């Protein structure tokens, strides 16, 4: 649902046994290959997302609460 709306998709994961593998997501969303980048480390993925947007553009983090919690740690308080 979200992929068609995105200009860029960065796939990542946490080292959590229930986390989906970004490679599997990439395979299932083959129609969006041109938009996707795979960055295994979630914090590096967030840094890339921040560096890739213009002021006033939006970054959406979608996934488990574990992922969102880890990503929140990458932002200064």
């Amino acid at each position: 649902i979200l992929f068609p709306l995105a200009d860029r998709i960065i796939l990542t994961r946490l080292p959590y046994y229930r986390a989906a593998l970004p490679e599997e997501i990439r395979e299932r969303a083959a129609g969006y290959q041109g938009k996707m980048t795979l960055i295994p480390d979630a914090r590096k993925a967030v840094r890339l997302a921040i560096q890739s947007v213009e002021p006033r553009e939006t970054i959406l983090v979608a996934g488990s609460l574990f992922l969102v919690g880890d990503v929140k740690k990458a932002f200064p308080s």
Side-chain angles (χ1 to χ4, degrees), residues 27-56:
E27 286 176 24
R28 291 182 183 188
Y32 301 96
Q33 292 296 325
K35 291 184 172 186
M36 285 192 252
T37 303
L38 195 147
I39 308 290
D41 181 270
R43 292 188 184 181
K44 288 180 183 177
V46 170
R47 281 189 232 119
L48 175 63
I50 292 168
Q51 293 168 356
S52 300
V53 296
E54 297 293 326
R56 301 195 187 277

